[in-house]
Amino acid sequence: MRPILMKGHERPLTFLKYNKDGDLLFSCAKDHTPTVWFADNGERLGTYRGHNGAVWCCDISRDSSRLITGSADQSAMLWDVKSGKQLFTFNFDSPARSVDFSVGEKMAVITTDPFMGLTSAIHIKDIAANPADQVAESKLVIKGPQGRINRAVWGPLNKTIISAGEDAVVRIWDAETGQLLLENDKEVGHKKPITSLAKSTDGSHFLTGSLDKSAKLWDIRSLTLIKTYVTERPVNAVAMSPLLNHVVLGGGQDASAVTTTDHRAGKFEAKFYDKILQEEIGGVKGHFGPINALAFNPDGRSFSSGGEDGYVRLHHFDPDYFKIPSI
Amino acid sequence: MTIETTQKPRWGELDEEEDTDYNYLLPPKQTIGPDNNGIKKTIEYSFNDEGHKVKKTTTTRVRKLANARLSKKALERRGWSKFGDAVHEDVGARLTMVSTEEIVFERPRAPGTKAEDSSSSDPLAAKSGAVLMVCRTCGKKGDHWTSRCPYKDLAQPSETFVENPTADSAAPGAPGATKGAYVPPTRRDGGVRPTAGADMRRRNDENSVRVNNLSEDTREPDLMELFRPFGSVSRVYVAMDQKTGMSRGFGFVNFVRREDGERAIAKLNGYGYDNLILSVEWAAPRAN
């Protein structure tokens, strides 16, 4: 396959997200300007100007009308996808790290980093249908985990929040009361900070990637460990194929050490694993820096990766890919 | 491809003026395809300067980069006008490019081979149990199998490719546990376990495949990549000219199993590699 290279960002990529229909690809980078691309040919549709810091995360509403972004400028913003206009700004006292719309987009969960004596927190906001009615107050603030919370997403039926972060523990919280419901078993859990978390399409399980060079698949309700994928690189990004039983892990050696070694030692490929057999089935090379973001098109026929090198690489699979035998 | 036809327009049919356009005399433009392979043929006719009719057939390959199935909503979004920085994009900016490099979905094993192949087919594993676990990539003992080597993406360490391994260097690790009992030479055949220099030497001559007509750019890792899909490779070597440091255009590949070597020969003899046609054969036994 010949990947499409998108060089719209001047700084390392941080996050990638497809919309529900899979025709738009949203990219976040440290260069303050989230960008939207057409997912088939990689043409740039527009940019969202307004943030004043690295943008860490974004989420897109199901009907592709609203975008929410979380940024290091201590704010999260709601945008009109079509025009690129800012609709609302949530201000925080510390950088916003992760954002996620609930099912139905009536709520959003936003995590903030530990900063200037503040601990990290998970904020739940009501999202108004009309941006004019939007209020800034948090509906619920959950505090507790030590260190940064790298990702928080909604559980089934918006009843729970799943969070993971630097303390290497996956937690499930009650989204109504803020109570801690479950913590993962320390024996089988990650040993180093969790960098990424991706839900399956049906929302029944999720995958976490960690700097301990592994990714783990968990049941979203019982938080039991289902599978572990062991790799040779610290994992920065994970994604699950919605079509086949494949998981993709991306990562690579720390960006600060890249120039000190041979480029092949960096292990900057996206590695594909069989979800069930936990076996490596392939790799896709190309980036010349660690992979920071991965996203699968909802149709499962293409995926994109964003690297520390500032490129988004959009891969449309060759027919051979779909012939890989599986059980 | 251009074919000149000698058929000129008859002078009687021509008008008095010289510059008249005779294009109406030409057959219409024809387009054939694109067929299943994406080959499209366009046939055009024109007059050249001397008034000869020229048939021009253009063959192009149409490549579909992506199958876009767009929903109604998505189709509408296609028509959205650009916003933000995308509005005044420089024409030369070329933010979106198709990679000039063909990226393959790299399979860790050759398609069709079994998962267990790399470890269970290894005669080492079957014969001597878990003691003798020597990684052929990084040379570590007892830590991991070659297929699990954390350094497998790196090039082969060059010391693996000594042409004539001396007795000392050829026996990288014969653990004490296996040394005690006497094993008759007849029994040693199947095992590639390096017990002594002489044994090692024989192994190097066994299942050795000679590759001729290599391009000068071919190095050992390239050969490794080429031959690895056929089975466990114990050694690859590309002959270098000692004075110039250039490749002499041939090399050797040793397989752990003879069948693998046979398959490799069957497959790669006559195979086009780096614009040259390889000739692959069993290496003649060393004369000494």
Side-chain angles (χ1 to χ4, degrees):
Chain A
M1 56 195 158
R2 280 181 195 271
I4 298 170
L5 274 61
M6 287 119 89
K7 176 80 186 120
H9 292 289
E10 285 150 17
R11 299 280 321 275
L13 269 288
T14 54
F15 197 77
L16 289 168
K17 178 100 185 169
Y18 282 93
N19 68 342
K20 183 75 189 155
D21 293 326
D23 65 316
L24 298 179
L25 174 65
F26 295 82
S27 62
C28 301
K30 292 186 183 171
D31 66 358
H32 311 183
T33 325
T35 302
V36 56
W37 313 79
F38 285 116
D40 49 353
N41 59 6
E43 193 188 336
R44 186 164 78 165
L45 172 61
T47 58
Y48 300 90
R49 302 205 69 162
H51 274 303
N52 201 19
V55 181
W56 293 118
C57 192
C58 71
D59 196 15
I60 174 82
S61 67
R62 196 185 166 87
D63 64 357
S64 306
S65 64
R66 299 285 186 79
L67 177 74
I68 187 168
T69 54
S71 162
D73 66 359
Q74 310 191 3
S75 73
M77 285 186 186
L78 278 172
W79 307 83
D80 181 44
V81 167
K82 186 179 178 181
S83 63
K85 284 198 185 75
Q86 283 176 47
L87 298 176
F88 195 80
T89 306
F90 299 103
N91 286 308
F92 298 99
D93 298 322
S94 59
R97 175 68 52 171
S98 148
V99 291
D100 193 42
F101 277 125
S102 68
V103 175
E105 288 115 30
K106 291 208 165 61
M107 289 179 285
V109 58
I110 303 168
T111 67
T112 53
D113 286 354
F115 185 65
M116 306 276 282
L118 290 166
T119 58
S120 55
I122 302 169
H123 302 258
I124 296 174
K125 304 272 188 190
D126 271 321
I127 303 291
N130 183 351
D133 306 334
Q134 182 65 48
V135 289
E137 276 69 48
S138 295
K139 193 176 164 190
L140 181 70
V141 181
I142 305 170
K143 286 182 182 169
Q146 287 300 305
R148 211 160 66 198
I149 302 168
N150 280 325
R151 194 92 175 91
V153 295
W154 291 91
L157 306 171
N158 300 340
K159 286 201 161 102
T160 53
I161 303 276
I162 296 115
S163 76
E166 273 187 331
D167 60 359
V169 181
V170 185
R171 293 186 176 84
I172 296 186
W173 310 83
D174 189 311
E176 286 278 324
T177 62
Q179 263 183 327
L180 180 64
L181 298 177
L182 281 169
E183 258 187 23
N184 74 268
D185 192 347
K186 291 279 190 305
E187 290 285 298
V188 298
H190 285 293
K191 301 284 178 283
K192 284 190 179 168
I194 297 169
T195 49
S196 51
L197 192 160
K199 280 200 284 183
S200 68
T201 319
D202 62 358
S204 66
H205 52 284
F206 64 94
L207 184 68
T208 54
S210 160
L211 299 181
D212 67 4
K213 305 186 179 177
S214 72
K216 288 175 191 283
L217 195 68
W218 308 86
D219 185 274
I220 209 163
R221 289 181 175 84
S222 62
L223 202 55
T224 44
L225 181 70
I226 307 170
K227 298 282 178 189
T228 302
Y229 310 95
V230 182
T231 176
E232 298 115 21
R233 71 217 68 217
V235 180
N236 294 344
V238 292
M240 268 186 277
S241 168
L243 188 67
L244 301 168
N245 280 327
H246 293 169
V247 299
V248 199
L249 314 182
Q253 85 191 118
D254 194 44
S256 59
V258 164
T259 50
T260 60
T261 50
D262 187 280
H263 69 102
R264 280 167 299 190
K267 306 188 192 304
F268 303 139
E269 313 102 299
K271 284 282 184 197
F272 282 67
Y273 283 76
D274 191 292
K275 196 184 206 170
I276 293 149
L277 302 174
Q278 307 172 72
E279 214 172 70
E280 185 184 323
I281 48 172
V284 174
K285 281 186 187 159
H287 281 288
F288 40 93
I291 292 177
N292 288 342
L294 280 171
F296 241 103
N297 192 308
D299 70 5
R301 298 186 173 274
S302 63
F303 83 103
S304 54
S305 56
E308 191 76 15
D309 55 10
Y311 279 96
V312 179
R313 295 174 74 97
L314 178 60
H315 308 80
H316 293 280
F317 290 115
D318 289 334
D320 287 351
Y321 166 78
F322 302 100
K323 291 180 196 142
I324 295 173
S326 185
I327 56 166
Chain B
M1 161 174 60
T2 55
I3 301 160
E4 272 194 45
T5 52
T6 46
Q7 198 188 358
K8 278 188 200 175
R10 271 179 281 171
W11 64 270
E13 291 171 359
L14 303 183
D15 275 326
E16 300 293 299
E17 305 118 78
E18 284 292 307
D19 321 25
T20 329
D21 202 6
Y22 302 120
N23 286 344
Y24 66 91
L25 289 170
L26 297 169
K29 185 176 156 182
Q30 255 183 303
T31 309
I32 308 165
D35 64 3
N36 291 339
N37 299 323
I39 307 288
K40 193 173 98 175
K41 269 191 184 168
T42 315
I43 302 170
E44 286 171 294
Y45 297 89
S46 62
F47 288 112
N48 64 7
D49 294 342
E50 290 126 50
H52 293 291
K53 194 160 79 173
V54 177
K55 178 185 175 192
K56 190 173 151 200
T57 312
T58 320
T59 312
T60 45
R61 169 175 274 166
V62 183
R63 274 187 64 162
K64 232 182 187 178
L65 278 173
N67 266 328
R69 275 181 295 276
L70 296 173
S71 69
K72 221 177 195 178
K73 279 279 202 64
L75 213 60
E76 184 198 319
R77 285 193 283 269
R78 257 307 22 179
W80 282 1
S81 52
K82 302 206 166 179
F83 58 90
D85 293 341
V87 178
H88 36 79
E89 204 163 279
D90 298 335
V91 181
R94 306 232 299 149
L95 291 180
T96 306
M97 287 176 292
V98 175
S99 168
T100 49
E101 198 184 349
E102 179 79 24
I103 303 283
V104 290
F105 188 84
E106 283 177 13
R107 309 290 306 278
R109 289 179 299 279
T113 52
K114 279 277 170 351
E116 302 77 41
D117 196 23
S118 51
S119 49
S120 67
S121 69
D122 204 334
L124 291 177
K127 285 222 161 180
S128 57
V131 198
L132 199 60
M133 198 196 264
V134 183
C135 174
R136 286 188 303 273
T137 310
C138 65
K140 255 193 186 170
K141 280 172 224 157
D143 188 41
H144 50 257
W145 293 107
T146 308
S147 58
R148 303 261 156 137
C149 179
Y151 310 106
K152 67 182 169 201
D153 296 333
L154 281 164
Q156 295 286 312
S158 54
E159 55 266 28
T160 326
F161 305 116
V162 187
E163 185 189 9
N164 295 316
T166 57
D168 303 338
S169 67
T178 53
K179 261 186 177 169
Y182 172 74
V183 184
T186 45
R187 290 274 205 82
R188 286 185 209 146
D189 269 84
V192 280
R193 176 153 32 106
T195 46
D199 218 23
M200 184 68 182
R201 181 63 158 271
R202 185 193 306 160
R203 180 189 69 135
N204 275 346
D205 287 346
E206 257 173 11
N207 306 335
S208 182
V209 171
R210 188 187 164 109
V211 192
N212 290 316
N213 210 21
L214 287 172
S215 77
E216 283 179 357
D217 303 326
T218 311
R219 293 287 175 272
E220 275 132 359
D222 304 321
L223 270 196
M224 189 68 173
E225 204 177 315
L226 186 65
F227 282 87
R228 183 66 189 80
F230 297 97
S232 306
V233 171
S234 57
R235 184 186 79 129
V236 265
Y237 170 73
V238 172
M240 294 288 185
D241 192 302
Q242 296 214 324
K243 276 187 197 134
T244 60
M246 300 267 277
S247 165
R248 290 170 65 193
F250 68 94
F252 294 94
V253 178
N254 288 43
F255 283 94
V256 174
R257 285 181 304 171
R258 198 172 172 86
E259 311 89 86
D260 294 337
E262 261 160 26
R263 278 195 299 131
I265 289 172
K267 202 83 181 174
L268 290 179
N269 195 15
Y271 178 79
Y273 188 70
D274 246 12
N275 73 37
L276 292 174
I277 306 293
L278 296 184
S279 97
V280 184
E281 61 197 10
W282 287 115
R286 205 188 297 274
N288 59 352

